[in-house]
Amino acid sequence: MSSLVISQHIEITPGICGGNPRIAGHRIKVQDLVIWHERMGMSPDEIIYHHPTMSLADVYAALAYYHDNREEIRRQLEAGETFAKQLQGNKPSLIEKILQGENASQD
């Protein structure tokens, strides 16, 4: 029964969002909700406040999907972080420059 409920809220479509699980009818990936909830400390209510086209059931289904598929979602998160680091190269971020006391406007 629970997988039926989750499948009403979560879609996996090749070619959309890299084939990663996402909220049905949206381009918001399950891993995005995991970041907002676990890393940024947003409650499900706060998430739907910022994304009012999603329902509370969508958020809870995404979190349930994550808890049922932790390793898969964590691999997706790590792949995204690795890709971002590759794009950044050896250039420090604006925050790193500020923390190092550099004038960020010199670039």
Side-chain angles (χ1 to χ4, degrees), residues 33-97:
L33 274 98
V34 170
I35 290 170
W36 299 333
H37 183 65
E38 290 197 349
R39 294 187 183 176
M40 297 175 67
M42 293 174 73
S43 71
D45 288 329
E46 288 173 313
I47 292 170
I48 61 169
Y49 174 81
H50 292 286
H51 302 277
T53 59
M54 287 191 309
S55 70
L56 195 54
D58 290 334
V59 174
Y60 281 110
L63 294 173
Y65 183 93
Y66 165 64
H67 288 287
D68 286 343
N69 301 278
R70 281 181 191 257
E71 292 306 312
E72 170 194 352
I73 301 300
R74 287 185 177 166
R75 278 193 302 273
Q76 292 167 2
L77 286 168
E78 288 172 11
E81 290 167 354
T82 300
F83 180 70
K85 287 178 184 175
Q86 288 173 344
L87 287 178
Q88 182 182 7
N90 61 357
K91 299 176 187 172
S93 71
L94 179 59
I95 292 174
E96 288 170 332
K97 286 181 180 183

Side-chain angles (χ1 to χ4, degrees), residues 10-27:
I10 305 298
E11 294 178 334
I12 300 173
T13 309
I16 299 178
C17 294
N20 292 321
R22 61 187 172 85
I23 301 296
H26 295 78
R27 295 185 66 85

